[in-house]
Amino acid sequence: MIDRVITSGTFSLDGGTWDVDNNVWLVGDAREVVIVDAAHTAGPIAARVGGRTVKAIVCTHAHNDHINAARELAELTGAPIRLHPADQVLWEQVYGAEVAYEPLADGEKLTVGGITLQVLHTPGHAPGAVCVHAPDLGALFSGDTLFKGGPGATGRSYSSFDTIIESIRERLLTLPPETVVHTGHGESTSIGAEAPHLEEWITRGH
């Protein structure tokens, strides 16, 4: 039901560049999948898809390291790219007006392989950041909103610490504690493991 592909490359913003490893998540069954994030290199992701139909390429946000394989993946698979339009300013830094996407909306539901995926708009790390909740699987794909050990970074342009804390508190920590959180980088965690630490994160300010 859930596959992970790890791809490597760089993240660039505000004049800096960092080496990063990204998690790319494939959700579905033996016939069809949704790809969550299109990071760095299309080849390994397409290889993991195999002969399955890709129903959508869902971008959790438009930082370059999460979308820089989106155009090639869309061309290889014929799948639409989906992104929350509040991230247009970040999208344009990578693709300008050359590559189109279909807007994602808060509360929108996608179905793949009999699984329902619900889009949760969780701004803070980026204005259009979303998480994808799969209640049928007890899973959340959190992009860079929530990690093992705290919220995603908010020290760069178009980000807000207060906003990400509100998103986590109101949209994520209200999910069942046993929900497994599959993150954009690093290892998975759970809502129950992270919820007790909210006040610590607020105190430390990141």
Side-chain angles (χ1 to χ4, degrees), residues 10-35:
T10 59
F11 163 56
S12 299
L13 190 66
D14 297 340
T17 297
W18 300 266
D19 292 329
V20 287
D21 297 327
N22 286 58
N23 295 326
V24 179
W25 299 99
L26 278 61
V27 191
D29 62 10
R31 298 173 294 111
E32 58 186 20
V33 295
V34 164
I35 297 171

Side-chain angles (χ1 to χ4, degrees), residues 13-14 63 89-90 93 124-127 153-160:
L13 190 66
D14 297 340
H63 284 154
V89 63
L90 292 166
Q93 291 181 8
H125 181 70
T154 53
R156 304 187 182 100
S157 296
Y158 315 110
S159 65
S160 164

